Amino acid sequence: MRLLLTGGCGFIGSAVVRRLITQTGHSVLNLDKLAYAGDPRTVASVADDPRYAFAQVDICDPAAVAAAFAEYQPDAVLHLAAESHVDRSIDGPAAFINTNVVGTFTMLEAARTHYEQLDGPARDAFRFVHISTDEVFGSLTLDDPAFCETTPYSPRSPYSASKAASDHLARAWFDTYGLPTIVTNCSNNYGPFHFPEKLIPLVTIKALAGEPLPVYGKGDNIRDWLFVDDHARALITVLESGAPGDTYTIGGRSERTNLDVVHTICDLLDDRVGGIGGDTSRSHRELITFVTDRPGHDHRYAIDASHIETDLGWTPSVTFETGIATTIDWFLANRDWWQAILDGNYQGQRLGTAS
């Protein structure tokens, strides 16, 4: 298939691009605005492949998006482009409304125009896969059942509210216009190329520098962790086999408190680099600092992935223990990648607290 993919220079998008080029026969046009978290280096390993193409496009620009559809004539769309950091959404919600809501509307309208011109097998095969987050479902208590496809929406941050709105748009375009949309909602991703403002790379980088590791509240907020390559594999499975109009929740079945995650990172670094500054007598755990919790901080996320596991045969293949070790080793081996981000124009960067 000829796939139009948005946000392919971001963390999850680039993992999907790399897997599509190296593990499938599909071709990809990567549309990315290259905002602060978009990095062409994340797809450098496949950039010279004849099945890969890139266009610097803002998904909020209807003319540019329409031109990409007209020129590339895609067989399907994977829509990943989004503003995604909760702290940033609290500081500046407008960008999240613009990219996540208006941008998704722009993509849906361009896809609808394209779809209505198709006929026969091309029309039957066309899909618009909209990639979203489990944060749209709100917050769970310790005793609540995990999120699933029928969980009511209850977003509690500007980020999750903007993603909830985009999910509703995707479903409305299916019901109203017949555009064959599919929605996915994933848990917290982690892995190589994770942008330094997020929990795992943030803690890793600060620990290596011997800086305090700020953790919100008591560190007892719980997240389900999904290795990014498993997520990429799930999205390709949904693209190839998912049912139009359906929703798939995707998780790693790896619930951990934030403090547990931070402890794991510290212990792995102790083992690999010998403690703070190489001093084997000082564990990186000594750097943990508890700070005032952020507004509206969801207590627990959990995913019931039974639907995609049963209907499409996807299951997570990477345990958290294996995935986090792989991730830490990657960050240790690729200091040039993240150091260039820290040294460069990081556009209002906020290497703040471990969420």
Side-chain angles (χ1 to χ4, degrees), residues 62 131 169 215 263 300 349 352:
I131 289 80
L169 288 175
V215 177
H263 281 163
R300 172 177 171 243
Q349 62 100 346

Side-chain angles (χ1 to χ4, degrees), residues 9 55 79 113 119 127 163 181 191 230 250 254 283 290 296 331 334:
C9 291
H79 177 43
T113 299
D119 56 23
R127 298 289 184 271
K163 290 300 291 184
T181 61
D230 269 343
I250 305 169
S254 296
S283 169
F290 296 99
F331 273 88
N334 291 273

Side-chain angles (χ1 to χ4, degrees), residues 250-286:
I250 305 169
R253 297 192 180 276
S254 296
E255 290 185 57
R256 301 287 190 282
T257 68
N258 286 341
L259 188 57
D260 285 340
V261 173
V262 174
H263 281 163
T264 299
I265 295 169
C266 290
D267 294 346
L268 286 167
L269 290 176
D270 287 350
D271 178 67
R272 283 151 171 77
V273 301
I276 300 173
D279 183 350
T280 57
S281 69
R282 298 193 63 203
S283 169
H284 288 90
R285 289 192 183 204
E286 297 174 30

Side-chain angles (χ1 to χ4, degrees), residues 6-305:
T6 67
C9 291
F11 170 48
I12 299 174
S14 66
V16 179
V17 168
R18 294 192 301 272
R19 188 170 188 89
L20 284 167
I21 297 301
T22 60
Q23 304 293 321
T24 80
H26 302 316
S27 299
V28 179
L29 172 61
N30 174 10
L31 301 188
D32 199 301
K33 181 182 177 181
L34 296 182
Y36 79 94
D39 188 342
R41 294 177 299 164
T42 60
V43 292
S45 63
V46 298
D48 293 332
D49 192 286
R51 291 184 291 112
Y52 174 80
F54 172 77
Q56 187 169 354
V57 169
D58 183 347
I59 61 168
C60 297
D61 182 342
V65 171
F69 271 89
E71 180 176 353
Y72 195 67
Q73 293 293 306
D75 300 311
V77 174
L78 285 161
H79 177 43
L80 294 102
E83 295 280 352
S84 65
H85 192 47
V86 175
D87 282 353
R88 285 179 179 270
S89 79
I90 294 171
D91 290 344
F96 288 73
I97 302 303
N98 194 44
T99 298
N100 299 351
V101 182
V102 177
T104 298
F105 164 74
T106 303
M107 288 296 302
L108 287 166
E109 280 293 86
R112 179 164 73 98
T113 299
H114 172 72
Y115 176 69
E116 289 173 348
Q117 297 171 352
L118 301 176
D119 56 23
R123 184 179 178 88
D124 294 340
F126 187 81
R127 298 289 184 271
F128 185 107
V129 183
H130 171 68
I131 289 80
S132 189
T133 172
D134 61 357
E135 297 191 37
V136 300
F137 302 123
S139 183
L140 297 171
T141 69
L142 290 176
D143 298 326
D144 285 334
F147 300 135
C148 67
E149 289 77 10
T150 58
T151 301
Y153 275 39
S154 183
R156 288 156 44 92
S157 72
Y159 162 59
S160 58
S162 68
K163 290 300 291 184
S166 67
D167 293 5
H168 292 319
L169 288 175
R171 294 192 180 98
W173 260 242
F174 173 77
D175 290 325
T176 302
Y177 301 113
L179 183 68
T181 61
I182 303 172
V183 175
T184 66
N185 300 92
C186 70
S187 58
N188 281 38
N189 280 221
Y190 68 102
F193 293 109
H194 206 175
F195 198 71
E197 69 186 353
K198 298 301 180 74
L199 172 61
I200 290 173
L202 168 70
V203 169
T204 303
I205 293 168
K206 281 185 172 292
L208 288 172
E211 298 177 2
L213 308 180
V215 177
Y216 280 132
K218 298 177 181 179
D220 58 356
N221 300 79
I222 298 169
R223 300 293 181 261
D224 174 43
W225 291 95
L226 173 64
F227 193 63
V228 69
D229 290 342
D230 269 343
H231 188 200
R233 183 168 52 84
L235 294 178
I236 295 170
T237 300
V238 169
L239 168 73
E240 295 175 337
S241 305
D246 210 345
T247 298
Y248 299 92
T249 51
I250 305 169
R253 297 192 180 276
S254 296
E255 290 185 57
R256 301 287 190 282
T257 68
N258 286 341
L259 188 57
D260 285 340
V261 173
V262 174
H263 281 163
T264 299
I265 295 169
C266 290
D267 294 346
L268 286 167
L269 290 176
D270 287 350
D271 178 67
R272 283 151 171 77
V273 301
I276 300 173
D279 183 350
T280 57
S281 69
R282 298 193 63 203
S283 169
H284 288 90
R285 289 192 183 204
E286 297 174 30
L287 299 171
I288 295 171
T289 304
F290 296 99
V291 299
T292 302
D293 209 352
R294 75 179 176 209
H297 196 181
D298 294 334
H299 180 65
R300 172 177 171 243
Y301 303 145
I303 287 281
D304 177 355

